[in-house]
Amino acid sequence: AHPQRIVDDITQEELARQLGQPGGRLALLSTEGGLFDMMAGRYSDNVNLDVYLGGWSGDDIRVNRVGRDATFVRDAALTIGVTVQPSVIAAIGQNERFRGRGLTARFMYFMPATNIGFRNLLNPPVAPVRYRAIYDSGLRQLDADLAAVDRAVITFRPDALNMFAHWRQQIEDRRGPNGDLVNMAEWT
């Protein structure tokens, strides 16, 4: 059977199991914020972020639970993409456990300008069918490409590594008490 590569409403345990399928790669894509309710312990009082954090970091994930088969994922690769309301973003930003464990810092945030008051509700635009075919074809090709890749290694030349180290130090200095990034130090 072809491993599932895209999921939505999924528990942490099932997420780890799905990541454990051949390839160790998975995309969690959703248009709603239920993912964060799940992370916060929707079905239990325990917050368990390990599979999300390890999947982002490319860590090995090992799950051993009584009554279930053990799960092992080597070099996990979890992509999370959500399109949620601003109130969801505000709520996760206020969750101390999410912030303290580094979860909120692992997302790239984008808040587009509102289009409310500018939409044509009587005659909404419809994308031509050919664009959907191009999009679907691109996703299928991406899926095939990802399935074929075993492991990628990026090697920096010494001068590039030196430039990167200096850039990291500049960001670190800006995170200090008087820096312009002090209010977003965790994220940066």
Side-chain angles (χ1 to χ4, degrees), residues 3 27 45 52 59 64-65 79 94 96 99 108 111 117-118 123 127 131 138 141 143 148 153 173 188:
D45 292 333
Y52 304 104
D59 295 341
N64 294 284
R65 300 280 192 268
T79 296
Q94 294 171 1
E96 284 295 324
R99 287 188 13 235
M108 177 68 69
M111 186 79 69
F118 300 99
N123 197 10
Y131 292 136
Q141 186 60 52
D143 181 49
V153 176
D173 294 344
T188 59

Coordinates of all heavy atoms in Angstrom, one line a residue, residues 3 27 45 52 59 64-65 79 94 96 99 108 111 117-118 123 127 131 138 141 143 148 153 173 188:
P3 N 2.0 4.7 1.2 CA 1.9 5.4 2.4 C 1.1 6.7 2.3 O 1.3 7.4 1.2 CB 3.3 5.6 2.9 CG 4.2 5.5 1.7 CD 3.4 4.6 0.7
A27 N 2.8 15.5 5.5 CA 2.3 16.9 5.6 C 1.0 16.9 6.3 O 0.1 16.1 6.0 CB 2.1 17.4 4.1
D45 N -5.5 15.2 29.3 CA -5.0 16.4 30.0 C -3.5 16.6 29.8 O -2.9 17.5 30.3 CB -5.2 16.3 31.5 CG -6.7 16.3 31.8 OD1 -7.5 17.0 31.0 OD2 -7.2 15.7 32.8
Y52 N 5.5 16.6 17.0 CA 5.5 17.8 16.2 C 6.9 18.4 16.2 O 7.4 18.8 15.2 CB 4.5 18.8 16.7 CG 3.1 18.2 16.8 CD1 2.5 17.9 18.0 CD2 2.3 18.1 15.6 CE1 1.2 17.4 18.1 CE2 1.0 17.6 15.7 CZ 0.5 17.2 16.9 OH -0.8 16.7 17.0
D59 N 14.4 14.9 13.8 CA 14.9 14.0 14.8 C 14.4 12.5 14.5 O 13.4 12.3 13.7 CB 14.4 14.3 16.2 CG 14.9 15.7 16.6 OD1 16.0 16.1 16.1 OD2 14.3 16.2 17.6
N64 N 6.9 4.2 22.3 CA 6.6 2.9 22.8 C 5.5 3.1 23.9 O 5.7 3.7 24.9 CB 7.8 2.3 23.5 CG 8.9 2.0 22.6 OD1 8.9 1.0 21.8 ND2 9.9 2.9 22.5
R65 N 4.3 2.5 23.6 CA 3.2 2.6 24.5 C 2.7 1.2 24.8 O 2.7 0.3 23.9 CB 2.1 3.4 23.8 CG 2.4 4.8 23.5 CD 2.4 5.7 24.7 NE 2.4 7.1 24.4 CZ 3.5 7.8 24.3 NH1 4.7 7.2 24.5 NH2 3.5 9.1 24.0
T79 N 5.8 18.4 7.7 CA 5.5 19.7 7.3 C 4.1 20.0 7.8 O 3.2 19.2 7.6 CB 5.5 19.8 5.7 OG1 6.8 19.5 5.3 CG2 5.0 21.1 5.2
Q94 N -0.4 32.7 23.0 CA -0.6 32.9 24.5 C -0.4 31.6 25.3 O -0.4 31.6 26.5 CB -1.9 33.5 24.8 CG -2.1 34.9 24.2 CD -3.5 35.5 24.3 OE1 -4.4 34.8 24.8 NE2 -3.6 36.7 23.8
E96 N 1.5 29.1 27.1 CA 2.9 29.0 27.7 C 3.6 27.8 27.3 O 4.8 27.8 27.1 CB 2.8 29.2 29.2 CG 2.5 30.6 29.6 CD 3.7 31.6 29.3 OE1 4.9 31.2 29.3 OE2 3.4 32.7 28.9
R99 N 4.9 28.0 23.7 CA 6.0 28.9 23.7 C 7.2 28.3 24.4 O 8.4 28.4 23.9 CB 5.6 30.3 24.2 CG 4.7 31.0 23.3 CD 4.4 32.5 23.7 NE 5.2 33.1 24.6 CZ 4.8 33.6 25.8 NH1 3.5 33.6 26.0 NH2 5.6 34.2 26.6
M108 N 6.2 29.7 10.3 CA 6.3 31.0 9.6 C 4.9 31.5 9.5 O 4.0 30.9 9.0 CB 6.9 30.7 8.2 CG 7.0 32.0 7.3 SD 8.2 33.1 7.9 CE 9.7 32.3 7.5
M111 N 0.1 37.1 7.6 CA -1.3 37.7 7.8 C -1.6 38.6 6.6 O -1.2 39.7 6.6 CB -1.3 38.5 9.1 CG -2.7 38.9 9.5 SD -3.7 37.7 10.2 CE -2.9 37.4 11.8
G117 N -15.3 43.3 2.2 CA -15.8 44.5 1.7 C -15.3 44.7 0.2 O -15.8 45.7 -0.4
F118 N -14.5 43.8 -0.3 CA -14.0 44.0 -1.7 C -14.4 42.7 -2.5 O -14.0 42.7 -3.7 CB -12.5 44.2 -1.7 CG -12.1 45.4 -0.9 CD1 -11.6 45.3 0.4 CD2 -12.2 46.6 -1.5 CE1 -11.2 46.4 1.1 CE2 -11.8 47.8 -0.8 CZ -11.3 47.7 0.5
N123 N -20.9 37.3 -8.2 CA -20.3 36.7 -9.3 C -18.8 36.4 -9.0 O -17.9 37.1 -9.5 CB -20.4 37.6 -10.5 CG -20.1 36.9 -11.8 OD1 -20.0 35.7 -11.9 ND2 -19.9 37.7 -12.9
A127 N -11.3 29.9 -10.8 CA -10.1 29.6 -11.5 C -10.3 28.7 -12.7 O -11.1 27.7 -12.5 CB -9.1 29.0 -10.6
Y131 N -5.8 25.5 -14.5 CA -4.9 25.8 -13.3 C -5.0 24.7 -12.3 O -4.1 24.3 -11.7 CB -5.3 27.1 -12.7 CG -5.0 28.3 -13.6 CD1 -5.8 29.3 -13.8 CD2 -3.7 28.3 -14.3 CE1 -5.5 30.4 -14.6 CE2 -3.4 29.4 -15.1 CZ -4.3 30.4 -15.3 OH -4.0 31.5 -16.1
G138 N 1.5 19.3 -10.3 CA 2.6 19.7 -9.5 C 2.7 19.0 -8.2 O 3.8 18.6 -7.7
Q141 N 3.8 15.4 -8.7 CA 5.3 15.4 -9.0 C 6.1 15.6 -7.8 O 7.1 14.9 -7.5 CB 5.7 16.4 -10.1 CG 7.1 16.3 -10.5 CD 7.4 14.9 -11.1 OE1 6.7 14.5 -12.0 NE2 8.5 14.3 -10.6
D143 N 5.1 14.8 -4.7 CA 5.0 13.6 -4.0 C 5.9 12.5 -4.5 O 6.6 11.8 -3.7 CB 3.5 13.1 -4.1 CG 3.3 11.8 -3.3 OD1 3.7 11.7 -2.1 OD2 2.7 10.8 -3.8
A148 N 11.2 9.6 -3.8 CA 12.4 9.1 -4.4 C 13.7 9.5 -3.6 O 14.7 8.9 -3.7 CB 12.5 9.5 -5.8
V153 N 22.0 16.2 1.6 CA 23.0 16.7 2.4 C 23.4 18.1 1.8 O 23.7 18.1 0.6 CB 24.3 15.8 2.5 CG1 25.4 16.5 3.3 CG2 23.9 14.5 3.1
D173 N 22.5 39.2 18.6 CA 22.7 40.5 19.3 C 21.4 41.3 19.3 O 21.1 42.0 20.3 CB 23.8 41.2 18.6 CG 25.2 40.6 18.7 OD1 25.3 39.7 19.6 OD2 26.1 40.9 17.9
T188 N 12.6 34.4 16.4 CA 13.8 34.7 15.5 C 14.9 33.8 15.9 O 15.8 33.6 15.2 CB 14.2 36.2 15.6 OG1 14.5 36.4 17.0 CG2 13.1 37.1 15.1

